[in-house]
Structure formats: C-alpha cells, structure tokens
Amino acid sequence: MAGASSDLKLLGAGPSPYVNRVQIALNLKAVNYEFLEEKFGSKSELLLKSNPVHKKIPVLIHGDKPICESLIIVQYIDEVWASGPSILPSDPYDRALHRFWAAYIDDKFFTNVKELSTADGEEAKDAAVERIAEGMTLLEDALGKCGKGKPFFGGDNIGYLDIAFGSFLGWLRATEKLAGVTLFNEGKTPGLVAWADAFSSHEAVKDVIPEIDRLVELAKMFKARAQSQSAN
Amino acid sequence: MEEVKLLGTWSSPFSYRVLWALELKGIPYQYTEEDLYNKSPFLVKCNPVHKKIPVLVHGGKPICESMVILEYLDGPWPHNPLLPSDPYERAVARFWAKFADDKGTVIWTMFRSTGEEQKEAVKGSLEMLRTIEDLALGDKKFFGGERIGMVDLAFGALAHWLGVFEEIVGIRLLEPESFPRLHKWTKNFKEEPAIKENLPDKDKMLSNFRCLREKLLASP
C-alpha cells in the first residue's frame, strides 16, 4: 500500500549520507514522496517545527507525523510498508547483528573516517588510515557472518546494514581521493570491494549517492569554510 | 528453553537496563559479574569488538550493546513487550532511547570533571533534563505509557545513578520544582517491583563512585 506523494515528505539535502539512507529505503519499497531540499546554512521553519530537539535532517513527515533520525526512519519505513521487500532480517538474532554493526558504523567507523579527512600531517593521517583499516577488517568479517556468502549484508538483497554502511560510500570514495589513500583494499577486504560495487549499482541506490567529484568539491568547500572561521 | 546468560557489572546502568528487562519479562537467566579491570576470556570472546558489558548470551549466541539487546528481547519473548506495536510509536520510542544514549554522557562528564568543563556539563545536563521534561514524558506514568517500556529502561540511570553523582559532586540537577514530571517518574519507576528489587545498594554506589571520581581526577 504505497503512500500518496502529498502524504509523504522527506526533508533533506542530496549530499547527506543520512538522508541518502532514507531515500534508498523509500526506493526499495517503491514509495512515492516529495523531497524538500533544505538549503545549506539555514534551517526551514518546517524543519525546526518537525525536529525541535535536534533541528537536523533527515526528517520524514508521514501525514502530519514527523519521524527523525535516519536509521529510525529506515525502520519505520520497513514496518509501515511491510508488504515490500524486507529491510531488516526476519530472524531476531540476525536483526541484532545488523543493529550492532549499524551502531558500530555510526559511533566508531565514521568518526575514524572524519578524523582522516581532518588529519594534519603524515603521522596523523597514517594513524587514521590504520584505524579505518581495522574497521574494514571487522566489517569484512561481519559481511561473511551476516550475508552468509551472499553479496549483501542482507543476503540476496540489500538490507538494513547495507543501507547503514553503503550510504557512506560516496564520502568514503571522496575521502580516498582527497587524502590520496586506498580504503577499499582488494587484497585485504575482497568481500567489501565486491559489495561496494554491487551496492552502488543497485537500482534503489544508483541515483541516490552523489557523484564523487561533487562530494570532493563540497569537502574542499567545508574545509575552507572551517579554516576561515577558525582564522577569524 | 535455551539458556540465557547476562554478563554485567553491579554498578553499571547499562547492565541494569538488560537485567530489568529480563526481570520484567520473567525470563530466567544466569548472571555473571564481570571484573572490568580483569576481563574474562568469555567476555572478550563474546564481545571482541568493544570488550564491554552488558552482553546477553542466548543459546550460546552473544548479543552486545544494551539497546540492541533490548530490541532483541521482544523477538523470542513477545509478552510484556518493551516496544509499542504501532510503527509511529515505535519510532518515537526509538528516538528517545537514542536521545538517552547520545545525550546521557553529559551527566558522566559532569561527574568526572571540575571547573569550566564541569560548568559546561552542568549546563548541558540541565538542557537535556529540560528536553525530557517538556517533550518526552507528557502526562503519562511512564515513557512507555501505563507500563514500563524500553525508553524507561534507557533513562533508568536518571532514577538512581544521577542522585548518587549529584551527592558526590555536590550539585543538584533534578529539582522537583523544576522538573515535576521527571521527578514523579523517578518515584514511579523505582516503585515497580522488578526495578525496586533490582537496584544497586546506594551506599555501596556512593563509596564506589567517590573512589572512581578521585581516580579519574588524579589521572592525566
């Protein structure tokens, strides 16, 4: 039972991996929605009203009900449009594994990636790359345990953990380019290399994740802005 | 019935989140007290990524992270559910549980710091309590409605640990006049048998955390 376009609004911004998570989930369920782009540097009245606690995107507005926090929105979409392909696994233990690793990605992994993009000097950069490499090894192992030999963490099709991790692929590739490093190592994490390609080219994903060059430009802009702000 | 084990520590509110959930659902379990300064090989095997408690082991399979464990429990034991059944209400519950995890650390910062850092943490803690008071509880008895749910367990530290920290640092945050709803909730929460019978001894907590604060302030 797909929601009508007017019934479903997504407040977001194209380059945000958190917003991309929601877009991918909506695409998987083939649900129509209206995308309301928040302008960078300002917050709309609707956003402030819908997410008074954090004032952040993404926010999904279903009818008159706002749902906040990207992974909470993804679970909501999975539960409301239950007749579409499942995002979370059906087995409770598998669900726990997906949730555990999604929390790891948000709490630890992406912090390490951000540290790489702001690292000053070779030593700091190498340390950051080392930490990310450790994370990639853990995630390679998780892919085996969750996917059980299939292409995705969700098995034959994209699931919760694929969305949680895969939404960062654009920024991961952009960080590789900016820092001049390789994070996806065919020798060390072949499963993840194959997974990254399969995920990025998936129907529900390919039009969502922004072009890497655009993200590289955005990252340079953010860095310049941060530097000029700290200089003032 | 597959065996349930809980690896925890007597002074951790995260450990208690799971313990309370098991008690509320009447799930039989075997509890093991872990020494975090001397972690057992079993703990490290069950949680190699973080090496932290709590860990729930169900039929030999480990589940880590307190909120992941709480979400898990409704699966094999659907009675006395921790989450509502309506998808929107579930999303709201998850929002506040995440808020408890993300913002709750500011109270720990208040506890383990002094001077300017502590002042900032006090400010942050009051803002957090204000948000919960104004937006999260409403006029319900519990965050979960008439019955304790996942959000109540997530905020459990506010009902028992906060008072201990307040006494040790000599700063009162949760004043009944400023936070009447939240204050009433702490009373209701601790009156529930499953909670009341499963709270760490207050004097033991005071002594333990006083000692810990000294240690933390002394180290660089």
Side-chain angles (χ1 to χ4, degrees):
Chain A
M1 192 187 13
S5 278
S6 57
D7 203 29
L8 203 57
K9 295 177 173 58
L10 173 59
L11 303 185
S16 160
Y18 303 101
V19 172
N20 293 162
R21 286 171 171 176
V22 179
Q23 292 171 292
I24 294 167
L26 290 167
N27 286 350
L28 274 172
K29 301 280 190 180
V31 175
N32 292 322
Y33 63 98
E34 192 187 345
F35 189 78
L36 299 174
E37 182 105 27
E38 285 287 315
K39 285 192 181 61
F40 183 75
S42 75
K43 292 177 202 258
S44 70
E45 274 306 306
L46 184 58
L47 174 60
L48 296 175
K49 190 180 113 188
S50 308
N51 192 354
V53 176
H54 302 301
K55 307 174 179 56
K56 283 184 175 177
I57 49 154
V59 180
L60 187 74
I61 307 178
H62 191 191
D64 57 356
K65 298 188 206 158
I67 302 106
C68 308
E69 300 289 328
S70 61
L71 291 179
I72 294 175
I73 300 171
V74 169
Q75 290 175 87
Y76 175 81
I77 290 167
D78 198 28
E79 289 171 11
V80 170
W81 287 277
S83 56
S86 278
I87 293 176
L88 270 159
S90 50
D91 175 71
Y93 189 73
D94 289 338
R95 281 203 292 271
L97 284 180
H98 277 238
R99 287 192 169 115
F100 173 86
W101 287 109
Y104 171 81
I105 294 205
D106 274 358
D107 299 343
K108 294 249 159 27
F109 187 77
F110 210 61
T111 305
N112 293 338
V113 176
K114 270 196 269 188
E115 276 170 13
L116 173 58
S117 59
T118 56
D120 225 350
E122 280 309 303
E123 217 179 294
K125 212 165 114 172
D126 287 341
V129 170
E130 180 65 43
R131 275 192 296 274
I132 296 171
E134 281 164 13
M136 294 292 276
T137 304
L138 289 173
L139 289 163
E140 175 85 4
D141 192 54
L143 179 59
K145 290 212 169 71
C146 296
K148 303 175 178 98
K150 304 273 177 77
F152 299 110
F153 290 91
D156 285 313
N157 206 349
I158 286 183
Y160 184 75
L161 184 50
D162 298 279
I163 295 174
F165 187 20
S167 56
F168 285 120
L169 277 173
W171 281 105
L172 280 168
R173 299 258 190 250
T175 305
E176 281 181 315
K177 239 182 174 172
L178 278 163
V181 298
T182 303
L183 299 173
F184 281 86
N185 191 313
E186 176 78 52
K188 291 193 188 145
T189 56
L192 286 180
V193 170
W195 167 82
D197 280 335
F199 183 84
S200 308
S201 52
H202 190 284
E203 266 312 300
V205 175
K206 63 182 174 36
D207 296 326
V208 172
I209 309 242
E211 292 290 324
I212 297 163
D213 290 328
R214 179 164 171 234
L215 294 177
V216 168
E217 286 313 307
L218 270 171
K220 285 183 184 161
M221 187 192 83
F222 291 149
K223 201 165 183 177
R225 207 178 270 221
Q227 280 170 343
S228 72
Q229 276 172 356
S230 60
N232 289 344
Chain B
M1 175 63 72
E2 285 185 313
E3 198 185 33
V4 174
K5 290 185 184 167
L6 171 61
L7 310 182
T9 61
W10 71 272
S11 59
S12 162
F14 303 99
S15 185
Y16 272 87
R17 285 174 172 177
V18 180
L19 197 145
W20 289 327
L22 294 169
E23 292 286 335
L24 284 164
K25 285 180 176 283
I27 300 167
Y29 62 98
Q30 185 197 74
Y31 176 78
T32 302
E33 177 73 24
E34 285 287 331
D35 176 0
L36 296 182
Y37 295 101
N38 189 15
K39 295 178 187 187
S40 72
F42 186 57
L43 170 59
V44 175
K45 183 173 144 215
C46 290
N47 192 355
V49 177
H50 303 297
K51 303 176 181 59
K52 282 181 172 180
I53 55 95
V55 177
L56 188 85
V57 188
H58 184 201
K61 295 199 267 193
I63 300 121
C64 309
E65 297 292 302
S66 59
M67 295 318 298
V68 175
I69 298 169
L70 294 190
E71 286 259 16
Y72 172 77
L73 291 174
D74 274 356
W77 296 279
H79 62 285
N80 292 355
L82 298 173
L83 276 155
S85 51
D86 173 71
Y88 179 68
E89 287 174 39
R90 288 161 77 84
V92 172
R94 287 176 173 138
F95 176 88
W96 289 112
K98 186 169 198 290
F99 181 88
D101 265 357
D102 292 346
K103 301 290 180 190
T105 51
V106 71
I107 294 192
W108 180 252
T109 305
M110 178 198 76
F111 168 76
R112 64 146 184 79
S113 63
T114 55
E116 210 43 56
E117 196 187 356
Q118 191 183 56
K119 253 174 98 179
E120 278 306 303
V122 168
K123 189 163 163 255
S125 298
L126 287 169
E127 280 166 9
M128 183 195 75
L129 294 175
R130 176 59 46 208
T131 301
I132 301 167
E133 174 81 16
D134 290 349
L135 297 177
L137 197 44
D139 293 314
K140 299 177 291 190
K141 185 177 183 194
F142 298 113
F143 292 94
E146 278 307 301
R147 279 175 42 249
I148 287 183
M150 185 175 80
V151 180
D152 300 274
L153 301 182
F155 281 128
L158 296 179
H160 196 59
W161 279 256
L162 178 57
V164 169
F165 294 169
E166 284 173 335
E167 198 169 321
I168 294 171
V169 304
I171 301 170
R172 191 83 199 276
L173 292 176
L174 192 39
E175 303 263 22
E177 310 82 48
S178 307
F179 303 100
R181 287 174 174 155
L182 202 42
H183 191 257
K184 194 157 164 226
W185 170 81
T186 64
K187 298 261 169 294
N188 287 333
F189 184 73
K190 293 214 282 190
E191 229 127 77
E192 280 295 299
I195 310 296
K196 191 172 178 175
E197 290 156 23
N198 295 288
L199 283 170
D201 177 73
K202 191 161 178 222
D203 289 327
K204 205 174 162 195
M205 289 246 280
L206 279 166
S207 146
N208 175 73
F209 282 105
R210 229 171 225 133
C211 205
L212 181 56
R213 184 163 196 258
E214 276 166 26
K215 232 190 257 184
L216 290 168
L217 291 177
S219 58

